[in-house]
Amino acid sequence: MKVIRTKKKGYQPASWQQGEIILHALTAPVTYLDPNRRIIWMNQRGLNYLNLTASEIEGARCYEVWQKRLTPCPSCPLQEVLETGQTREAEITTADGRIWNLRAHPVLDEEGKTVGVVEVRQDITERKKMELAWRESEERFRAIFERSLLCVYIHDLSGRFLEVNEAMLHLLGYSRDELLSLNWTSLLEEKQLPRAFMVLNELIKTGRQKEPCEFQWRCKDGRKIWIEAEACLIPRWDELPLILGVAHDISRRKEMEQKLLASLEEKEILLREIHHRVKNNLQVISSLLDLRAMRTQDKRLRELCEEARAKIQTMALIHTHIYQSGEFTRIALKNYLRDLIHYLAQIHSDKKRAITVEITGEEIKLSVNQAMALALVINEAIANAYKHAFPEGLAGKIIIDLQRREQDSVCIRIKDNGVGLPDNLNFEQTTTLGWKLMRHLVTDQLRGRLEIRGKDGTEVKIEFPIIKGGEYG
């Protein structure tokens, strides 16, 4: 290895050898060049980068080994050092695509003349890639931030705005400086502050909201607009985290919701009033029949009035349940039957008989039309049980079982433990008004099937499908 020796006093080979060991241990390439930019010496790190030996690079020029050029590089920092005698620093890219931070130091003799250059390179390729990626990411974020049609904003944990995009300025009517001087909570009504702080606590604990929240913002001109906002936490290593929020104007949607709610409320009031008036009219008819039954001496006419009144009360009771429940399209059957049974027990039972009625099975909801037809069938079946299944003095039990079958069908059994039906009774051929009414309601209106068994008591079995769109969910 060649070493430039000066004639000046002070050259100490032993000290150079120690320094050479240190230079070889450095992780950065170090090169010593003469004024013609020929390589005199290079440490081991530089040789490793170039994949060359000391003998292969000796006497070669720097631009030949690093840049694969035959002529000096334009704007060469080494040339500036040789001309000015001052240290220079620059970023250069070598032929293999690596980016280096190059720092060139002049080597001066005792007279101050530049007799060489020491070049120290630091490979900053990965750092530059990261900087480029960060810059591209920042540019993408800025483009999305500024060009988004949604309101995008950043504020600190105290609510002070740090960044806002054009969409937010346009929506609220503020200038950028005006909005950056405000606090996020200053846009809200006082009654909304507890919810805003609750969202902030959720962000601090979990990093993001569980679901978007609706707030009202005050515009610069005093208008109030509804927005739907969602935010997440932006962590920072050395400082408190920030809040990134996205919001969009839902004023039009809220206006439509208010109109729909008002319209729905009007319809509910109307339906409630209709059911209330129908119930009252049926009660009036029931009272007239009751009055007529009280004034007649004809036992058969009195019975007919009682039967008609029971049917009317059965229908009126449905309208009562609809009015009280607020659900105008469906009837909870099991709950309704409890009230119906209570009413039928009052008009059919007497002190001489102990007849109990039990309702079993699951709750089933039916449309009003289906519930009305079914209620009349059950009314007729229970009335017959009270009249004929238990002779005077005989106690008994009536069970009404409700079951929902597969494919949205219903099976209802009304069974008593009374005396049963006569052996010679042909249900299909009987012309009794009650039986004919039950057959008509089940087959025509419920579109189902009716079976009646008369052994070991009487069992009425009703099966029918739940009508699709028939308001059963």
Side-chain angles (χ1 to χ4, degrees), residues 267-284:
K267 289 179 173 59
E268 287 182 351
I269 292 173
L270 179 61
L271 286 171
R272 192 184 298 274
E273 184 63 22
I274 289 172
H275 285 297
H276 184 61
R277 293 194 179 191
V278 170
K279 180 200 73 170
N280 288 346
N281 290 337
L282 290 172
Q283 292 286 10
V284 170

Side-chain angles (χ1 to χ4, degrees), residues 126-296:
E126 293 304 318
R127 191 186 79 189
K128 296 299 288 186
K129 287 181 179 179
M130 291 178 63
E131 288 177 357
L132 179 61
W134 175 262
R135 188 162 56 250
E136 290 176 348
S137 176
E138 178 72 15
E139 289 173 356
R140 285 196 296 268
F141 171 77
R142 180 59 56 185
I144 294 172
F145 187 90
E146 289 297 341
R147 298 175 187 174
S148 175
L149 298 177
L150 303 176
C151 297
V152 187
Y153 52 90
I154 298 175
H155 62 77
D156 59 21
L157 296 183
S158 68
R160 182 173 59 90
F161 284 115
L162 304 176
E163 291 281 353
V164 292
N165 71 343
E166 287 295 331
M168 189 166 179
L169 298 176
H170 178 73
L171 180 65
L172 296 177
Y174 289 99
S175 69
R176 188 177 299 275
D177 290 339
E178 287 173 334
L179 199 50
L180 293 181
S181 68
L182 296 178
N183 190 288
W184 191 83
T185 55
S186 66
L187 301 177
L188 303 176
E189 295 289 330
E190 185 176 353
K191 62 183 179 181
Q192 294 180 314
L193 293 180
R195 190 179 186 190
F197 291 133
M198 183 178 66
V199 171
L200 180 60
N201 289 333
E202 181 183 344
L203 286 170
I204 294 173
K205 290 179 181 179
T206 66
R208 67 181 305 111
Q209 288 178 233
K210 291 182 180 178
E211 57 185 17
C213 292
E214 295 180 358
F215 294 100
Q216 262 190 317
W217 276 352
R218 279 193 295 266
C219 298
K220 183 178 179 180
D221 59 8
R223 291 181 302 112
K224 295 178 182 178
I225 58 173
W226 280 99
I227 58 101
E228 185 176 70
E230 191 169 7
C232 66
L233 205 66
I234 304 177
R236 296 191 294 177
W237 293 109
D238 55 343
E239 298 179 71
L240 291 175
L242 301 177
I243 305 295
L244 171 65
V246 178
H248 65 281
D249 185 3
I250 60 169
S251 301
R252 179 63 177 166
R253 190 184 82 187
K254 294 294 287 186
E255 182 182 350
M256 295 301 297
E257 285 178 359
Q258 292 299 323
K259 288 182 179 179
L260 286 173
L261 288 174
S263 176
L264 180 61
E265 185 177 359
E266 290 176 1
K267 289 179 173 59
E268 287 182 351
I269 292 173
L270 179 61
L271 286 171
R272 192 184 298 274
E273 184 63 22
I274 289 172
H275 285 297
H276 184 61
R277 293 194 179 191
V278 170
K279 180 200 73 170
N280 288 346
N281 290 337
L282 290 172
Q283 292 286 10
V284 170
I285 297 173
S286 177
S287 298
L288 291 174
L289 287 171
D290 187 40
L291 184 61
R292 178 59 180 163
M294 291 172 59
R295 291 185 176 184
T296 184

